[in-house]
Amino acid sequence: MAWLLVIVAGLLETGFAVCLKLSHGFTRLWPTIAFAAFALGSFGLLTLALKRLDVGPAYAVWTGIGAAGTAIYGMIFLGDLVSTLKIISISMVIAGVIGLQLSGSAH
């Protein structure tokens, strides 16, 4: 269950990163509100998960999901540059996230 919280928290991290861009420096109301909601949800779920998981693997999985998810979202929906190297690099991040999740231990 704790790893599920980390995964959802990582997805929410993607949400807050995208909303941060869409807020244009907190000058747009709804993206700013969405950023705050996603950020609070993400940090809240990560906090709950860390009661049972080692901080290193859990934090790495959280940031990896957020980084890969944000990069993928940007390429699909925001017109970010798509390149073979970027796709290979994102795949490596995802592989690392899976490896860390499988190596993580619960208390």
Side-chain angles (χ1 to χ4, degrees):
M1 182 63 170
W3 280 114
L4 179 61
L5 294 176
V6 172
I7 291 167
V8 174
L11 294 172
L12 291 173
E13 183 188 2
T14 296
F16 82 67
V18 170
C19 288
L20 187 60
K21 176 173 179 59
L22 297 176
S23 76
H24 291 271
F26 301 124
T27 61
R28 294 186 176 164
L29 179 62
W30 292 112
T32 299
I33 290 170
F35 160 78
F38 282 126
L40 287 171
S42 182
F43 286 114
L45 292 177
L46 181 63
T47 299
L48 293 174
L50 289 176
K51 291 181 179 181
R52 298 230 178 249
L53 300 173
D54 292 336
V55 69
Y59 183 76
V61 168
W62 177 70
T63 58
I65 291 170
T70 303
I72 291 166
Y73 186 94
M75 289 187 294
I76 294 171
F77 297 108
L78 301 177
D80 289 358
L81 176 67
V82 178
S83 69
T84 302
L85 181 58
K86 188 180 277 191
I87 292 169
I88 290 169
S89 299
I90 291 169
S91 299
M92 291 171 59
V93 168
I94 293 169
V97 164
I98 292 168
L100 283 166
Q101 192 277 338
L102 293 174
S103 73
S105 60
H107 290 130

